[in-house]
Amino acid sequence: YTLSLHDALPISAYDHASVQIEIADVDEHGRIKGTRRTVALAGHMRQRGESDACLNRLFGEMGLISFKK
């Protein structure tokens, strides 16, 4: 089982609509450092159309994007 980061519920192996995304950490030259972050979205989040908002929130919490103007 993998835990969905949005609602902390386990994602079943039978949830064929779920996705797992890995984001590589890079240095100032854009080269991969060798570390990565993993985000998992459950199928029910994708089916409700909440994936974009969920990813934006998670990436904001990870410091990968900023919502400041």
Side-chain angles (χ1 to χ4, degrees), residues 4-66:
S4 170
L5 292 178
H6 177 72
D7 51 17
L9 295 174
I11 298 175
S12 165
Y14 299 103
D15 184 354
H16 299 294
S18 66
V19 294
Q20 181 171 317
I21 302 169
E22 293 193 15
I23 301 111
D25 291 320
V26 297
D27 64 14
E28 61 275 357
H29 301 290
R31 291 182 290 219
I32 297 173
K33 293 182 185 179
T35 57
R36 62 182 178 264
R37 304 169 196 216
T38 304
V39 175
L41 289 174
H44 68 87
M45 296 301 301
R46 297 183 66 221
Q47 289 169 349
R48 290 189 291 188
E50 298 178 7
S51 298
D52 290 347
C54 187
L55 285 174
N56 283 337
R57 183 181 61 82
L58 291 171
F59 291 162
E61 290 174 3
M62 291 179 180
L64 299 175
I65 60 173
S66 174

